[in-house]
């Protein structure tokens, strides 16, 4: 089938590439000329495992192409996926101007049936709004459909998630739209055996918000329990293990840490709280999820201050700048919270990250970046672990101890065993465990 994808951010580019990989003919459109030029040179605007190889392969096999022209995208296919940004506004509400703009421009140049599929995470009732916009700007009485098809892929495992999803959710209003989407997804349903869930558009939109917010709530829950563990002399990893073996709870998303980050959870929880408010429901549970997440960062900072006593002129090695391993994404990463505060406190910072260094350097170009965790920790008074990169977990701890000024670690990801640290005489503080 021919498919147009508008927006070549994380979701758009991965979705388009995966649709091409399963045999469709895909045109990815973006109004950012430099991005499209990069993609045509096979340079990726984002870091994602296996993406460059898949883009190259599918372009060479003539199933994937790029354009800056939305009208070309409109002519290319009767199915148009909208994967443009919905950045947060002043009160946490999503800015819908990019989505609205796509709807308007498609309507203005539409000459036959089109199915517009919302792929970006959008507030409930975006489907209704898009329908109104298209009807308003259509020049003649042409049939069209709107559908919602939220994406559940994670950064770092995006290709695997897109090709082998747990479920495919579609919000539809017509048999024609359902059939088109089922046909598009048939190869994925066949290879993954996942369910194809049809529901109304508002339910599909809400499923996305509820899923991300539920996962954020799970993380805040375990983080709150970790605080009690510290006070009560319990171990959060043993508690989480004990909870997670209950199939109804599951062990996933029960890792206590320095709080969730990234481009999705913080933004989506904010947006869901805002949407609920608009509907007249004050979502106190989610507001508490946000508060716990913030407090987890502050608590980590207090641990650092307690250990250092005075921060000024101390050399602090920060291991991990990305919001999670496997990505160069630093949006809402813990590193972006701690670095400005430590600079303000006049600490000397040394930074390490295997992939996100370049992105961080764009924001903090005067800081010192190192190639390995050990080089970064050399002469440091303390090491902060902010991302669970495997390179940190596999560090030679004896070597680390020998290069540091004072062997001390504050671990925001619980990568090491406190007993081992004690034996090695390294001061070690982690999350929700007594030391
Ligand atoms: C998240 C969802 O997991 C995806 O299903 C969804 O499609 C995506 O948002 C989106 O809306 O686009 P992502 O932001 O890539 O995916 O990352 P996650 O793996 O979910 O991690 C989010 C944050 O939670 C990270 O900061 C991670 O370190 C933290 N986390 C995760 C924990 O602190 N503890 C855990 O147990 C799990």
């Amino acid at each position: 089938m021919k498919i147009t994808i508008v927006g070549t951010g994380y979701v758009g580019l991965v979705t388009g590439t995966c649709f091409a990989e399963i045999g469709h003919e895909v045109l990815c459109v973006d109004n950012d000329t430099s991005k499209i030029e990069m993609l045509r040179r096979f340079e990726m605007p984002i870091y994602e495992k296996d993406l460059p190889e898949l883009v190259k392969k599918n372009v060479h096999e003539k199933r994937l192409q790029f354009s800056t022209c939305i009208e070309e995208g409109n002519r290319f296919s009767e199915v148009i996926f909208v994967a443009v940004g919905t950045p947060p506004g002043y009160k946490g509400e999503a800015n819908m101007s990019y989505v609205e703009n796509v709807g308007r421009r498609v309507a203005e140049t539409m000459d036959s049936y089109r199915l517009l599929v919302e792929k970006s995470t959008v507030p409930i009732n975006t489907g209704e709004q898009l329908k109104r916009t298209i009807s308003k700007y259509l020049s003649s009485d042409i049939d069209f459909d709107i559908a919602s098809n939220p994406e559940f892929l994670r950064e770092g495992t995006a290709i695997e998630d897109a090709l082998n999803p747990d479920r495919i959710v579609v919000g539809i209003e017509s048999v024609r739209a359902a059939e088109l989407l089922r046909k598009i997804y048939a190869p994925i349903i066949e290879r993954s055996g996942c369910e194809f869930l049809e529901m109304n558009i508002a339910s599909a939109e809400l499923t996305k918000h509820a899923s991300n917010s539920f996962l954020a709530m799970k993380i805040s829950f375990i983080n709150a329990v970790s605080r009690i563990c510290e006070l009560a002399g319990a171990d959060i990893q043993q508690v989480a293990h004990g909870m997670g073996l209950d199939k109804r709870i599951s062990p996933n998303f029960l890792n206590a840490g320095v709080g969730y980050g990234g481009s999705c959870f913080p933004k989506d929880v904010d947006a869901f709280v805002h949407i609920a408010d608009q509907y007249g429901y004050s979502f106190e549970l989610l507001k508490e999820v946000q508060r716990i997440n913030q407090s987890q960062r502050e608590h980590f900072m207090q641990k650092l201050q307690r250990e250092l006593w005075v921060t000024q002129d101390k050399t602090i090695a920060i291991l991990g700048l990305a919001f999670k391993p496997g990505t160069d994404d630093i949006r809402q990463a813990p590193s972006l919270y701690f670095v400005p505060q430590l600079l303000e406190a006049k600490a000397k910072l040394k930074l390490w990250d295997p992939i996100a260094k370049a992105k961080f350097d764009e924001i903090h170009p005067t800081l010192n970046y190192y190639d390995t965790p050990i080089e970064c920790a050399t002469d440091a008074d303390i090491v902060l672990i902010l991302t669970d990169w495997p390179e940190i977990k596999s560090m030679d701890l004896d070597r680390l101890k020998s290069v540091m000024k004072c062997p001390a670690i504050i671990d925001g990801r619980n990568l090491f065993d406190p007993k081992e640290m004690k034996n090695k005489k390294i001061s070690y503080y982690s999350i929700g465990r007594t030391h």
Side-chain angles (χ1 to χ4, degrees), residues 11 121 151-157 161 167 208 211-212 215 219 222-223 251-266 268 293 297 323-325 332 334 386 388 413:
V11 169
T121 302
E151 185 49 64
F152 300 102
L153 56 82
R154 290 161 299 173
E155 295 186 17
T157 51
D161 289 347
R167 76 297 204 193
K208 171 67 189 187
S211 300
N212 269 9
L215 291 171
I219 298 169
I222 204 68
N223 281 336
N252 299 321
F253 279 71
L254 280 184
N255 292 321
V258 70
Y260 60 76
S263 65
C264 304
F265 285 174
D268 291 355
N293 203 51
R297 301 245 203 280
F323 84 96
K324 69 172 195 176
Q332 302 286 331
L386 299 184
D388 33 352
R413 300 292 174 182

Side-chain angles (χ1 to χ4, degrees), residues 5 11-21 24 26 28 63-64:
I5 312 268
V11 169
L13 185 55
V14 171
T15 306
T17 306
C18 288
F19 280 160
E21 179 64 15
H24 299 304
V26 179
C28 286
R63 285 189 303 269
L64 180 61

Side-chain angles (χ1 to χ4, degrees), residues 138-239:
L138 266 182
S139 51
S140 53
D141 192 15
I142 302 166
D143 190 20
F144 72 92
D145 272 314
I146 301 291
S148 162
N149 170 219
E151 185 49 64
F152 300 102
L153 56 82
R154 290 161 299 173
E155 295 186 17
T157 51
I159 305 281
E160 171 62 19
D161 289 347
L163 291 175
N164 293 296
D166 289 342
R167 76 297 204 193
I168 295 162
V169 172
V170 297
I172 32 101
E173 282 181 340
S174 79
V175 175
R176 188 173 186 177
E179 274 172 3
L180 277 169
L181 285 165
R182 195 177 270 280
K183 206 165 147 200
I184 288 174
Y185 278 108
I188 292 182
I189 297 168
E190 198 174 314
R191 64 189 281 170
S192 67
C194 74
E195 274 198 56
F196 182 83
L197 301 175
E198 289 175 27
M199 51 186 83
N200 69 24
I201 293 179
S203 303
E205 292 166 343
L206 194 50
T207 302
K208 171 67 189 187
H209 278 295
S211 300
N212 269 9
S213 296
F214 186 86
L215 291 171
M217 180 188 73
K218 217 175 162 188
I219 298 169
S220 276
F221 181 86
I222 204 68
N223 281 336
V225 177
S226 81
R227 301 287 285 277
I228 304 168
C229 285
E230 288 178 13
L231 298 168
D235 182 320
I236 190 63
Q237 285 187 309
Q238 290 174 6
V239 175

Side-chain angles (χ1 to χ4, degrees), residues 376-390:
C376 182
T378 300
D379 293 327
D381 294 280
I382 198 155
V383 161
L384 303 187
I385 298 175
L386 299 184
T387 315
D388 33 352
W389 284 108

